[in-house]
Amino acid sequence: MRNVLISGAGVAGATLAWFLARQGFAVTVVERAPGPRTGGQAIDVRGAALDVVDRMGLGERMRAVRTRMRGMSVVDGAGQELFRSEEFTYSSGRLDNDDFEVLRDDVVAILHEAADVEYVFGDSVTALTEEAHGVRVEFERGGFRTFDLVVGADGLHSAVRRLAFGPEEEFVRHLGQYLAIFPAPNFLGLADWQVWFRHEETGGAIYPVRDNTELRVTLGFGSEPLPRLDVEDQKRLVGERLGGIGWEVPKLLEAMAAADVFYFDAMAQIHLGRWSAGRVVLLGDAGYCASALSGQGTSLALVGAYVLAQELGRGEHEAAFAAYERRMRPFVELNQALATENPAGGPSEESVERAKNAIDLT
């Protein structure tokens, strides 16, 4: 039995843990957050990723808690409607296809419940030393353990990637935007309907969740790369960039200031010449983040976890890592391209259809 450490308990890490455990691997998942992360936006499960969740036997559970939008509208900074559709939404695409949109925290909760593996919360990896037959891993809370393999599934700002491959700055491509995401009471009274607003270099999206009892709010603005900020400074910056806009934006900023759960980060991609180094390999955003602008980050995480587990089940790690990268590279490249195809209006439907299915899972 091989023992594997997965750093990161999000969609990528939890999916890989599920598959590896069922192949007889001893799996430990370490996550720096004190528990499963809550909040976040609605995420899409599309194309090949649908096959992955169905093969796990979890597809119906995820579909049962999917968002169920009737459509969307777009307004300007004064609240004047510019466009509406009952056929598609910007966040999830066409409403009549098999893809589905679901809250990130619901997906993570389902994955955690399904995987019978060791989870260690409130800790993180601080050092990696490759030895003759494994990797010595040191942890922030002290002590060390040795694992046969280490997987970095710890996101855009991956600690495993930094330790094994080098500084983040060598691999990140900034896409010129920042997003803030937070929950709020449904003070707009939205019922299964999204509203997007645009004003110069700023904008956002608001949609109801949890049977229309809650809003998930995304606010964004264009910017060159910014220094790392603490949460209060992040909220202050968002308030400054969107201050002065009309419509319901002042109330949204008030809700942001009061939000206990808050996410803020750059829209960026990760590009590496290789995804493995010795016994360490990267998965999902840590290795090939496509950004939320692609709409494919979750699908890349699900498919990447499936392919990596499939290859590890076939043989030793050197060949498995090489096969994983050979199969995933074309899929990743097509999906990363979606984020930059049309900055004003998003990628074409044809590009999305081609990208989301561009991999053979057999």
Side-chain angles (χ1 to χ4, degrees):
M1 179 183 291
R2 287 180 285 178
N3 67 327
V4 179
L5 175 70
I6 300 172
S7 176
V11 174
T15 302
L16 180 64
W18 190 95
F19 279 111
L20 290 182
R22 277 153 182 77
Q23 295 179 173
F25 289 78
V27 181
T28 299
V29 182
V30 62
E31 166 61 53
R32 63 180 300 182
R37 293 180 185 269
T38 59
Q41 61 188 342
I43 56 180
D44 300 304
V45 181
R46 294 173 164 172
L50 296 171
D51 290 337
V52 174
V53 297
D54 286 338
R55 292 180 191 193
M56 298 173 77
L58 301 177
E60 289 309 307
R61 289 184 61 188
M62 292 184 186
R63 291 179 179 90
V65 292
R66 67 186 298 178
T67 64
R68 300 187 182 278
M69 298 297 151
R70 297 179 292 108
M72 55 161 279
S73 54
V74 181
V75 302
D76 63 18
Q80 298 297 313
E81 186 171 273
L82 305 174
F83 173 79
R84 69 165 38 222
S85 174
E86 295 183 3
E87 297 180 354
F88 70 92
T89 67
Y90 287 153
S91 67
S92 62
R94 293 195 59 84
L95 300 178
D96 60 357
N97 64 23
D98 292 332
D99 302 340
F100 64 88
E101 183 183 65
V102 60
L103 291 176
R104 180 192 181 278
D105 37 1
D106 286 344
V107 172
V108 170
I110 290 169
L111 290 169
H112 286 190
E113 181 182 336
D116 184 17
V117 301
E118 177 189 11
Y119 276 96
V120 179
F121 290 101
D123 206 352
S124 61
V125 176
T126 57
L128 299 170
T129 304
E130 182 136 358
E131 300 175 334
H133 301 290
V135 183
R136 174 188 164 112
V137 181
E138 298 178 35
F139 296 94
E140 185 176 21
R141 286 186 359 202
F144 72 91
R145 292 171 63 179
T146 299
F147 296 88
D148 296 321
L149 303 172
V150 174
V151 181
D154 43 353
L156 176 64
H157 305 296
S158 169
V160 169
R161 187 185 62 235
R162 174 176 50 80
L163 293 168
F165 295 83
E168 179 176 305
E169 293 75 19
E170 297 181 11
F171 313 115
V172 67
R173 293 186 190 176
H174 185 67
L175 299 182
Q177 297 184 46
Y178 280 81
L179 292 184
I181 303 169
F182 56 92
N186 189 2
F187 62 87
L188 294 177
L190 295 178
D192 302 325
W193 190 265
Q194 292 184 2
V195 180
W196 294 69
F197 74 91
R198 298 173 178 171
H199 179 75
E200 298 177 353
E201 291 294 310
T202 64
I206 307 99
Y207 50 90
V209 298
R210 309 290 188 221
D211 294 325
N212 297 314
T213 62
E214 177 186 316
L215 298 177
R216 290 291 167 95
V217 182
T218 300
L219 303 177
F221 58 85
S223 174
E224 294 300 311
L226 298 168
R228 299 295 290 270
L229 304 169
D230 63 27
V231 171
E232 290 308 311
D233 285 338
Q234 291 170 357
K235 289 183 176 182
R236 187 176 304 110
L237 178 61
V238 175
E240 291 172 356
R241 294 298 178 96
L242 278 77
I245 302 176
W247 186 54
E248 302 285 356
V249 175
K251 292 181 181 178
L252 295 174
L253 295 178
E254 290 178 7
M256 178 189 71
D260 294 327
V261 178
F262 179 78
Y263 167 89
F264 176 85
D265 210 340
M267 292 298 95
Q269 293 186 341
I270 295 295
H271 293 262
L272 289 96
R274 58 193 173 95
W275 298 335
S276 64
R279 293 174 176 270
V280 178
V281 66
L282 301 176
L283 173 65
D285 283 356
Y288 36 85
C289 179
S291 86
L293 299 178
S294 73
Q296 283 291 96
T298 301
S299 293
L300 285 173
L302 288 163
V303 173
Y306 176 81
V307 172
L308 179 56
Q310 191 178 43
E311 296 301 337
L312 284 171
R314 288 172 172 163
E316 292 304 311
H317 71 275
E318 296 96 336
F321 291 170
Y324 158 66
E325 186 159 342
R326 184 173 61 252
R327 293 174 63 187
M328 284 293 295
R329 279 271 178 195
F331 185 61
V332 166
E333 289 169 1
L334 280 172
N335 283 289
Q336 286 184 324
L338 295 178
T340 57
E341 179 180 299
N342 181 3
S348 68
E349 186 174 334
E350 293 77 11
S351 294
V352 172
E353 288 299 313
R354 181 171 63 253
K356 73 183 186 181
N357 291 299
I359 191 166
D360 182 0
L361 297 183
T362 58

